[in-house]
Amino acid sequence: MAKRKDDDVVGEEHYEPLQPPAGFAETARANDKSLFQEAEKDRLAFWAGMAENLQWSDKWERVLDDDNPPYYKWFVNGKLNVSENCLDVHIENGLGNKKALIFEGEEGDSVSLTYSELLTEVCKFSNAMDKLGVKKGDAVTIWMPMIPEAIVAMLACTRIGAVHSVVFGGFSPDALKDRILDSESKLVVTADGANRRGKVIPMRSAAEEALEECPSVEKVVIVNRTGSSYEPKKGRDLLWSDLMADAETDFAPVTIDAEDPLFILYSSGTTGKPKGILHSTGGYLVGVHTTFRYVFDHHEDDIYWCTADIGWITGHSYIVYGPLSNGSSSFIYEGTPDYPARDRFWELIEKYKISVFYTAPTAIRSFMRWGNQYPNKRDLSSLRLLGSVGEPINPEAWLWYYENIGKSNCPIVDTWWQTETGMIMITPLPGVTPLKPGSASWTFPGVEADVVDDRGKSTKSGQRGFLVIKSPWPAMLRTLHGDPERFENTYWQQYPGMYFTGDGAWKDQDGYFWIMGRVDDVLNVSGHRIGTMEVESALVDHDSTAEAAVIGKVHEIKGHSITAFVTLKEGYEGSEELAQELKAHVGKKIGAIARPEEIYFTYELPKTRSGKIMRRLLRDIAEQRDLGDVTTLMDPQVVAAIKEGYTGK
Ligand code: WTA
């Protein structure tokens, strides 16, 4: 049990640092500060050394090309293939019979693929795509449930050099359409449906609406997962099982330049249009390979489970590319933690003897609320290391996780990073870093971060500011697909020479980073990034809505929940039915994760005299705080009217 400190504390730091549990450091990949020292001495030599752990067909000529910032290049002229590094190299090293992927479906069906078997599947799908005319550089959209075929499709893209764009299965067909159009995908890989809490959610039939409006799409490959019915389109739709039945089992990996694009992943920003974050090949793989190895302390016999969906960056980097490039056994689960019962995750840990478990604070807070009886029923003794990602973890949830899941015997790595960073940036090393519950602790070796004030000056310890990255890192995004200007403006304009993360943070006297969350108009709902503007655009897209303002209200489990303030057009009146309709409309435009939890109708939004919407005031209203002086508003009456217009949940 961690002890509370008695003396005065800075900010949220309340606990004595916890040392790694007895015995952990002895077998850890890193158990002293030598990696930090090495990186400090010569950062580029450190990363070059790490790159040596991968297989390159041509060695790079220069580690970092920083001639034209912010367009950095890593491992210039190096050549490699990601699927080769994730599959072939392990087979050559005698790990062909080791399990690469272990899958369990929601209904308890289970399959595992060894490295040799996974390579065969990947080669077959590469051949299938090749026959369909997919070439190096072509974009392929993957919209699938959490099933092994999704990972086979991703790896097959990397084998060919096609650029995958995985769209989260929970996004709506409308959101899928925008992403297919933006990436100009020729091929879409999807499934007939997905299993969700005992029900079947149709995917292929739902996608038709999107596909009809996507002229670039030539072929659609469909995995039969649920037996859902749909109307196949002749000449365009193909069954995964048919293609795989005929496909050859060998496919030589295509040689890819380190700076060739590897994937696009769309993420929310501060405008209505999602950003197509573009990652390239060599630096990305070096970054995720290295961080996986040291942060998750990769041991040969680990069974590693990251509960993210492959539709998010966490799924890309730490279900697929990090674990597989290290030859780990990566467990994937199709369903949710509470179906058929609230001990589902603990049941899986017991059954598969999971040793490393990586999940999100929002899930941990739910587990906490459900109660200890669920984990207590199960044998969790296989666990040796826990991880957290996606949002700040409050010390209370951290301690619950530490004591009830890790039995005070497993370090927790609280990992801070972003879709843009590609790899973990701020994190403990579990055999080295004394842990402070609620702090993501130190930068990973070779990463340089800081907290700065408005003018870009380092803040003093204990002083809040903005989190920046001070020098390029290998897995950094290279640009925003089709929008370099937005890339420059969003990340590189605030502080010349530094990457702006969009997060607020402070550092304590021991150099630990404490992340406070987004400082821009991006919400973090259950660890998912959602732009307020995206939700606002979806609302004003509805016939009834004249104007909308969306804020994040602090929520016990989700971190933030979405609250919308809506002014209606003439002829419409706020009602519970209309609120439901608007929520459904947002669900249709973006997906269920973006549905507002609450809607307030009002004849006007609170604006300053210069016409700026006062979001702070809206947050105060939603969180039922005292409002203080509202006389500076253009229309001081509006606050009372908003309160009356509240429709509840
Ligand atoms: C937040 C997810 C505090 C942060 C990998 C960041 C975190 C955004 C942490 C990126 C953490 C992620 N502590 N905050 N350990 N991890 N965040 O792109 O606000 O989905 O900017 O990447 O999540 O979300 P994204």
Side-chain angles (χ1 to χ4, degrees):
M1 173 77 183
K3 275 197 234 75
R4 263 180 186 272
K5 273 186 178 175
D6 291 331
D7 48 336
D8 269 357
V9 290
V10 185
E12 293 134 64
E13 190 203 346
H14 303 304
Y15 299 93
E16 289 286 0
L18 290 154
Q19 297 301 328
F24 191 96
E26 277 90 277
T27 61
R29 290 249 166 198
N31 47 23
D32 59 26
K33 292 201 172 162
S34 53
L35 284 177
F36 293 96
Q37 287 154 357
E38 231 179 276
E40 204 149 302
K41 207 169 85 206
D42 187 341
R43 196 168 55 86
L44 296 186
F46 169 80
W47 283 117
M50 292 299 152
E52 299 280 0
N53 294 323
L54 297 177
Q55 185 160 302
W56 300 77
S57 45
D58 281 351
K59 202 178 160 174
W60 57 92
E61 287 159 13
R62 201 173 158 192
V63 179
L64 172 67
D65 172 349
D66 53 2
D67 298 345
N68 183 26
Y71 298 95
Y72 297 98
K73 294 180 183 154
W74 282 84
F75 306 108
V76 181
N77 290 332
K79 306 267 189 282
L80 77 171
N81 182 283
V82 168
S83 79
E84 186 177 12
N85 274 285
C86 289
L87 303 168
D88 311 56
V89 293
H90 307 312
I91 297 164
E92 282 156 29
N93 289 335
L95 295 179
N97 291 328
K98 180 173 177 176
K99 285 177 183 164
L101 291 180
I102 306 167
F103 165 78
E104 177 149 327
E106 202 181 66
E107 300 301 327
D109 51 317
S110 175
V111 11
S112 61
L113 290 167
T114 64
Y115 273 96
S116 298
E117 289 165 342
L118 183 58
L119 174 63
T120 304
E121 293 299 295
V122 167
C123 285
K124 280 161 69 178
F125 198 61
S126 302
N127 277 311
M129 284 200 291
D130 185 55
K131 272 205 180 144
L132 297 176
V134 177
K135 299 210 164 41
K136 179 168 175 258
D138 288 346
V140 174
T141 293
I142 298 174
W143 190 54
M144 285 177 100
M146 276 294 288
I147 52 176
E149 288 86 344
I151 296 173
V152 171
M154 290 166 80
L155 288 166
C157 286
T158 73
R159 198 152 187 93
I160 292 186
V163 181
H164 61 64
S165 161
V166 184
V167 177
F168 173 52
F171 274 131
S172 70
D174 266 13
L176 171 67
K177 179 186 78 186
D178 294 345
R179 288 159 176 76
I180 296 174
L181 286 174
D182 191 80
S183 64
E184 295 168 85
S185 292
K186 285 168 78 169
L187 179 72
V188 174
V189 187
T190 186
D192 59 344
N195 294 312
R196 204 74 181 160
R197 293 201 169 87
K199 295 205 190 78
V200 168
I201 315 257
M203 290 188 89
R204 164 58 190 81
S205 60
E208 189 54 42
E209 212 181 295
L211 293 168
E212 269 168 15
E213 295 175 43
C214 295
S216 63
V217 175
E218 294 165 12
K219 299 284 176 202
V220 176
V221 177
I222 302 147
V223 176
N224 258 334
R225 171 70 189 145
T226 58
S228 301
S229 62
Y230 58 89
E231 200 63 49
K233 185 164 175 190
K234 263 212 149 128
R236 189 197 65 192
D237 287 4
L238 302 157
L239 277 183
W240 174 281
S241 50
D242 289 348
L243 294 175
M244 295 296 267
D246 298 339
E248 300 270 340
T249 54
D250 287 324
F251 189 98
V254 172
T255 304
I256 309 292
D257 189 90
E259 279 301 323
D260 280 339
L262 180 64
F263 64 82
I264 301 172
L265 184 55
Y266 289 89
S267 183
S268 294
T270 53
T271 74
K273 190 175 178 287
K275 303 182 281 197
I277 291 167
L278 185 90
H279 281 285
S280 66
T281 304
Y284 173 81
L285 197 64
V286 171
V288 299
H289 177 83
T290 309
T291 46
F292 179 83
R293 173 183 287 229
Y294 292 108
V295 176
F296 297 109
D297 186 41
H298 168 56
H299 280 38
E300 292 285 317
D301 53 355
D302 275 334
I303 309 286
Y304 162 87
W305 181 15
C306 165
T307 67
D309 189 280
I310 39 121
W312 308 115
I313 191 69
T314 307
H316 285 55
S317 299
Y318 299 108
I319 292 178
V320 185
Y321 299 116
L324 297 183
S325 67
N326 277 284
S328 182
S329 295
S330 186
F331 175 74
I332 54 171
Y333 176 56
E334 183 183 33
T336 54
D338 56 352
Y339 180 85
R342 287 176 166 178
D343 67 343
R344 187 67 170 123
F345 276 16
W346 320 128
E347 180 195 351
L348 291 166
I349 289 175
E350 178 181 79
K351 178 170 171 188
Y352 291 96
K353 302 202 166 27
I354 304 293
S355 55
V356 180
F357 179 66
Y358 189 32
T359 195
T362 182
I364 297 166
R365 290 191 293 264
S366 295
F367 302 145
M368 208 171 140
R369 204 186 51 176
W370 296 341
N372 295 355
Q373 66 274 29
Y374 298 106
N376 286 353
K377 281 206 287 208
R378 301 288 179 177
D379 177 5
L380 306 181
S381 60
S382 55
L383 289 171
R384 62 178 198 88
L385 176 59
L386 302 173
S388 171
V389 61
E391 53 183 309
I393 178 164
N394 46 311
E396 195 195 356
W398 195 104
L399 284 168
W400 183 88
Y401 193 32
Y402 187 77
E403 286 162 9
N404 295 285
I405 305 306
K407 314 290 181 197
S408 303
N409 207 21
C410 304
I412 297 178
V413 286
D414 172 5
T415 60
W416 178 90
W417 59 295
Q418 307 177 302
T419 308
E420 291 86 343
T421 68
M423 63 183 230
I424 292 169
M425 302 290 277
I426 302 179
T427 177
L429 293 189
V432 182
T433 316
L435 303 173
K436 297 190 187 190
S439 166
S441 72
W442 307 333
T443 46
F444 188 81
V447 171
E448 298 179 318
D450 200 3
V451 178
V452 299
D453 63 17
D454 297 348
R455 286 169 305 155
K457 247 186 72 201
S458 280
T459 54
K460 290 205 236 28
S461 65
Q463 194 188 335
R464 285 152 203 239
F466 304 103
L467 181 66
V468 294
I469 312 295
K470 291 197 300 185
S471 57
W473 65 101
M476 66 198 301
L477 80 165
R478 296 306 195 257
T479 188
L480 293 179
H481 177 66
D483 202 350
E485 209 174 307
R486 190 174 178 194
F487 167 67
E488 292 174 25
N489 294 340
T490 310
Y491 306 109
W492 304 98
Q493 206 108 103
Q494 287 82 349
Y495 307 112
M498 295 189 223
Y499 168 85
F500 178 64
T501 64
D503 276 349
W506 59 281
K507 270 185 3 176
D508 69 19
Q509 67 283 3
D510 304 325
Y512 281 63
F513 284 86
W514 295 77
I515 315 290
M516 289 156 24
R518 306 290 308 186
V519 294
D520 53 9
D521 292 330
V522 174
L523 306 180
N524 194 326
V525 180
S526 299
H528 303 318
R529 264 165 77 166
I530 297 164
T532 53
M533 273 287 288
E534 259 177 290
V535 184
E536 288 164 6
S537 316
L539 285 166
V540 297
D541 178 74
H542 190 271
D543 288 342
S544 66
T545 304
E547 197 177 19
V550 163
I551 56 130
K553 173 178 168 179
V554 172
H555 187 279
E556 198 192 338
I557 306 282
K558 299 178 179 178
H560 280 120
S561 65
I562 298 175
T563 300
F565 297 82
V566 169
T567 61
L568 296 170
K569 289 183 191 154
E570 282 289 317
Y572 287 93
E573 212 168 301
S575 65
E576 189 52 46
E577 291 74 56
L578 184 56
Q580 289 307 334
E581 199 178 313
L582 286 173
K583 290 178 189 180
H585 189 70
V586 176
K588 179 176 175 310
K589 296 301 287 181
I590 308 172
I593 52 167
R595 272 171 76 108
E597 193 149 310
E598 297 175 318
I599 293 188
Y600 289 73
F601 291 109
T602 167
Y603 71 92
E604 176 61 291
L605 294 168
K607 290 178 185 159
T608 60
R609 293 202 175 131
S610 58
K612 215 171 142 282
I613 296 174
M614 291 189 66
R615 289 167 190 280
R616 182 191 52 74
L617 195 70
L618 291 174
R619 265 193 296 273
D620 288 344
I621 294 171
E623 289 168 7
Q624 291 170 6
R625 264 193 300 273
D626 247 359
L627 299 184
D629 183 15
V630 294
T631 52
T632 55
L633 286 177
M634 193 149 43
D635 175 359
Q637 308 296 329
V638 74
V639 169
I642 292 177
K643 287 185 174 166
E644 275 168 28
Y646 176 53
T647 67
K649 290 194 182 180

Tab-separated table of all heavy atoms in Angstrom, residues 37-62:
chain	number	residue	atom	x	y	z
A	37	GLN	N	21.348	7.375	-19.947
A	37	GLN	CA	22.672	8.008	-20.084
A	37	GLN	C	23.160	7.955	-21.526
A	37	GLN	O	23.667	8.930	-22.066
A	37	GLN	CB	23.676	7.323	-19.151
A	37	GLN	CG	23.434	7.694	-17.699
A	37	GLN	CD	23.936	6.622	-16.728
A	37	GLN	OE1	24.419	5.573	-17.152
A	37	GLN	NE2	23.793	6.883	-15.440
A	38	GLU	N	22.958	6.788	-22.121
A	38	GLU	CA	23.362	6.609	-23.524
A	38	GLU	C	22.659	7.633	-24.415
A	38	GLU	O	23.286	8.288	-25.260
A	38	GLU	CB	22.871	5.231	-23.967
A	38	GLU	CG	23.868	4.327	-24.615
A	38	GLU	CD	23.162	3.022	-24.940
A	38	GLU	OE1	23.067	2.153	-24.060
A	38	GLU	OE2	22.667	2.907	-26.072
A	39	ALA	N	21.345	7.754	-24.224
A	39	ALA	CA	20.558	8.656	-25.067
A	39	ALA	C	20.948	10.102	-24.816
A	39	ALA	O	20.970	10.923	-25.735
A	39	ALA	CB	19.072	8.449	-24.807
A	40	GLU	N	21.271	10.401	-23.566
A	40	GLU	CA	21.649	11.768	-23.242
A	40	GLU	C	22.986	12.146	-23.880
A	40	GLU	O	23.170	13.257	-24.346
A	40	GLU	CB	21.742	11.919	-21.737
A	40	GLU	CG	21.548	13.343	-21.292
A	40	GLU	CD	20.912	13.372	-19.923
A	40	GLU	OE1	19.806	12.812	-19.758
A	40	GLU	OE2	21.548	13.921	-19.029
A	41	LYS	N	23.867	11.176	-23.897
A	41	LYS	CA	25.204	11.427	-24.455
A	41	LYS	C	25.104	11.735	-25.950
A	41	LYS	O	25.696	12.673	-26.451
A	41	LYS	CB	26.078	10.196	-24.221
A	41	LYS	CG	27.553	10.537	-24.139
A	41	LYS	CD	28.369	9.359	-23.639
A	41	LYS	CE	28.716	8.461	-24.797
A	41	LYS	NZ	28.952	7.080	-24.484
A	42	ASP	N	24.310	10.922	-26.653
A	42	ASP	CA	24.184	11.105	-28.104
A	42	ASP	C	22.857	10.491	-28.563
A	42	ASP	O	22.748	9.298	-28.793
A	42	ASP	CB	25.367	10.413	-28.802
A	42	ASP	CG	25.397	10.714	-30.289
A	42	ASP	OD1	24.345	11.126	-30.834
A	42	ASP	OD2	26.468	10.530	-30.898
A	43	ARG	N	21.866	11.369	-28.669
A	43	ARG	CA	20.504	10.918	-28.936
A	43	ARG	C	20.408	10.151	-30.258
A	43	ARG	O	19.760	9.117	-30.359
A	43	ARG	CB	19.589	12.152	-28.983
A	43	ARG	CG	18.120	11.886	-28.869
A	43	ARG	CD	17.389	13.195	-28.645
A	43	ARG	NE	17.694	14.155	-29.690
A	43	ARG	CZ	17.048	14.227	-30.852
A	43	ARG	NH1	16.038	13.445	-31.086
A	43	ARG	NH2	17.406	15.111	-31.760
A	44	LEU	N	21.065	10.687	-31.289
A	44	LEU	CA	20.939	10.042	-32.600
A	44	LEU	C	21.674	8.704	-32.626
A	44	LEU	O	21.198	7.734	-33.224
A	44	LEU	CB	21.444	10.966	-33.702
A	44	LEU	CG	20.621	12.253	-33.858
A	44	LEU	CD1	21.108	13.049	-35.065
A	44	LEU	CD2	19.126	11.981	-33.976
A	45	ALA	N	22.806	8.641	-31.928
A	45	ALA	CA	23.524	7.360	-31.862
A	45	ALA	C	22.672	6.342	-31.104
A	45	ALA	O	22.642	5.148	-31.444
A	45	ALA	CB	24.869	7.542	-31.164
A	46	PHE	N	21.956	6.810	-30.081
A	46	PHE	CA	21.062	5.915	-29.334
A	46	PHE	C	20.005	5.312	-30.261
A	46	PHE	O	19.803	4.102	-30.309
A	46	PHE	CB	20.390	6.689	-28.189
A	46	PHE	CG	19.264	5.940	-27.530
A	46	PHE	CD1	19.523	4.957	-26.583
A	46	PHE	CD2	17.927	6.212	-27.861
A	46	PHE	CE1	18.474	4.255	-25.980
A	46	PHE	CE2	16.882	5.526	-27.267
A	46	PHE	CZ	17.153	4.542	-26.321
A	47	TRP	N	19.347	6.188	-31.058
A	47	TRP	CA	18.288	5.675	-31.940
A	47	TRP	C	18.871	4.796	-33.050
A	47	TRP	O	18.255	3.801	-33.453
A	47	TRP	CB	17.453	6.828	-32.523
A	47	TRP	CG	16.486	7.373	-31.504
A	47	TRP	CD1	16.462	8.634	-30.976
A	47	TRP	CD2	15.420	6.658	-30.864
A	47	TRP	NE1	15.442	8.757	-30.055
A	47	TRP	CE2	14.780	7.558	-29.970
A	47	TRP	CE3	14.920	5.354	-30.961
A	47	TRP	CZ2	13.682	7.180	-29.176
A	47	TRP	CZ3	13.829	4.976	-30.167
A	47	TRP	CH2	13.226	5.887	-29.295
A	48	ALA	N	20.060	5.154	-33.513
A	48	ALA	CA	20.690	4.315	-34.544
A	48	ALA	C	20.974	2.923	-33.976
A	48	ALA	O	20.747	1.900	-34.630
A	48	ALA	CB	21.978	4.964	-35.041
A	49	GLY	N	21.427	2.899	-32.716
A	49	GLY	CA	21.683	1.615	-32.056
A	49	GLY	C	20.408	0.792	-31.962
A	49	GLY	O	20.411	-0.426	-32.189
A	50	MET	N	19.306	1.453	-31.639
A	50	MET	CA	18.028	0.747	-31.522
A	50	MET	C	17.568	0.233	-32.890
A	50	MET	O	16.979	-0.844	-33.004
A	50	MET	CB	16.962	1.671	-30.915
A	50	MET	CG	17.233	2.005	-29.465
A	50	MET	SD	17.231	0.501	-28.447
A	50	MET	CE	18.339	0.973	-27.139
A	51	ALA	N	17.842	1.019	-33.928
A	51	ALA	CA	17.447	0.608	-35.286
A	51	ALA	C	18.187	-0.661	-35.703
A	51	ALA	O	17.676	-1.439	-36.527
A	51	ALA	CB	17.720	1.739	-36.273
A	52	GLU	N	19.362	-0.881	-35.131
A	52	GLU	CA	20.127	-2.101	-35.459
A	52	GLU	C	19.381	-3.370	-35.043
A	52	GLU	O	19.685	-4.461	-35.508
A	52	GLU	CB	21.497	-2.095	-34.755
A	52	GLU	CG	22.413	-0.957	-35.123
A	52	GLU	CD	23.142	-1.164	-36.446
A	52	GLU	OE1	22.933	-2.214	-37.079
A	52	GLU	OE2	23.902	-0.253	-36.830
A	53	ASN	N	18.421	-3.243	-34.130
A	53	ASN	CA	17.652	-4.423	-33.706
A	53	ASN	C	16.671	-4.900	-34.768
A	53	ASN	O	16.055	-5.951	-34.619
A	53	ASN	CB	16.883	-4.127	-32.413
A	53	ASN	CG	17.822	-3.905	-31.245
A	53	ASN	OD1	18.849	-4.571	-31.153
A	53	ASN	ND2	17.499	-2.962	-30.377
A	54	LEU	N	16.470	-4.091	-35.801
A	54	LEU	CA	15.570	-4.496	-36.882
A	54	LEU	C	16.387	-5.003	-38.062
A	54	LEU	O	17.597	-4.778	-38.146
A	54	LEU	CB	14.715	-3.310	-37.342
A	54	LEU	CG	13.755	-2.721	-36.314
A	54	LEU	CD1	13.043	-1.510	-36.899
A	54	LEU	CD2	12.735	-3.763	-35.853
A	55	GLN	N	15.685	-5.649	-38.985
A	55	GLN	CA	16.371	-6.130	-40.190
A	55	GLN	C	16.156	-5.147	-41.340
A	55	GLN	O	15.016	-4.848	-41.688
A	55	GLN	CB	15.826	-7.501	-40.556
A	55	GLN	CG	16.563	-8.115	-41.718
A	55	GLN	CD	16.340	-9.625	-41.744
A	55	GLN	OE1	16.639	-10.330	-40.785
A	55	GLN	NE2	15.797	-10.103	-42.834
A	56	TRP	N	17.251	-4.654	-41.888
A	56	TRP	CA	17.191	-3.693	-43.000
A	56	TRP	C	17.791	-4.356	-44.233
A	56	TRP	O	18.830	-5.015	-44.126
A	56	TRP	CB	18.005	-2.442	-42.671
A	56	TRP	CG	17.529	-1.700	-41.451
A	56	TRP	CD1	17.750	-2.043	-40.150
A	56	TRP	CD2	16.737	-0.500	-41.422
A	56	TRP	NE1	17.149	-1.130	-39.300
A	56	TRP	CE2	16.525	-0.172	-40.054
A	56	TRP	CE3	16.197	0.332	-42.409
A	56	TRP	CZ2	15.790	0.952	-39.667
A	56	TRP	CZ3	15.478	1.452	-42.010
A	56	TRP	CH2	15.266	1.745	-40.663
A	57	SER	N	17.195	-4.154	-45.390
A	57	SER	CA	17.846	-4.688	-46.587
A	57	SER	C	18.923	-3.716	-47.075
A	57	SER	O	19.921	-4.137	-47.662
A	57	SER	CB	16.836	-5.012	-47.684
A	57	SER	OG	15.910	-3.979	-47.827
A	58	ASP	N	18.731	-2.411	-46.827
A	58	ASP	CA	19.794	-1.432	-47.077
A	58	ASP	C	19.916	-0.582	-45.834
A	58	ASP	O	18.901	-0.099	-45.315
A	58	ASP	CB	19.402	-0.459	-48.207
A	58	ASP	CG	19.590	-1.092	-49.567
A	58	ASP	OD1	20.175	-2.190	-49.623
A	58	ASP	OD2	19.126	-0.481	-50.551
A	59	LYS	N	21.121	-0.383	-45.387
A	59	LYS	CA	21.292	0.447	-44.200
A	59	LYS	C	21.107	1.925	-44.549
A	59	LYS	O	21.382	2.346	-45.667
A	59	LYS	CB	22.672	0.204	-43.596
A	59	LYS	CG	22.691	0.601	-42.146
A	59	LYS	CD	23.994	0.342	-41.461
A	59	LYS	CE	23.998	1.237	-40.227
A	59	LYS	NZ	25.119	1.008	-39.370
A	60	TRP	N	20.608	2.694	-43.581
A	60	TRP	CA	20.423	4.131	-43.778
A	60	TRP	C	21.768	4.831	-43.956
A	60	TRP	O	22.804	4.337	-43.515
A	60	TRP	CB	19.672	4.722	-42.577
A	60	TRP	CG	20.362	4.459	-41.263
A	60	TRP	CD1	21.266	5.254	-40.645
A	60	TRP	CD2	20.232	3.303	-40.429
A	60	TRP	NE1	21.702	4.681	-39.478
A	60	TRP	CE2	21.088	3.484	-39.312
A	60	TRP	CE3	19.469	2.130	-40.503
A	60	TRP	CZ2	21.203	2.547	-38.289
A	60	TRP	CZ3	19.584	1.196	-39.484
A	60	TRP	CH2	20.440	1.399	-38.399
A	61	GLU	N	21.703	6.001	-44.598
A	61	GLU	CA	22.924	6.788	-44.781
A	61	GLU	C	23.036	7.887	-43.739
A	61	GLU	O	24.126	8.378	-43.446
A	61	GLU	CB	22.925	7.410	-46.183
A	61	GLU	CG	23.198	6.357	-47.247
A	61	GLU	CD	22.719	6.777	-48.637
A	61	GLU	OE1	22.394	7.981	-48.820
A	61	GLU	OE2	22.658	5.907	-49.513
A	62	ARG	N	21.891	8.297	-43.222
A	62	ARG	CA	21.895	9.379	-42.248
A	62	ARG	C	20.774	9.069	-41.260
A	62	ARG	O	19.676	8.667	-41.674
A	62	ARG	CB	21.568	10.660	-43.019
A	62	ARG	CG	21.982	11.918	-42.355
A	62	ARG	CD	21.744	13.080	-43.326
A	62	ARG	NE	21.632	14.313	-42.568
A	62	ARG	CZ	21.195	15.450	-43.068
A	62	ARG	NH1	20.826	15.529	-44.333
A	62	ARG	NH2	21.128	16.520	-42.321
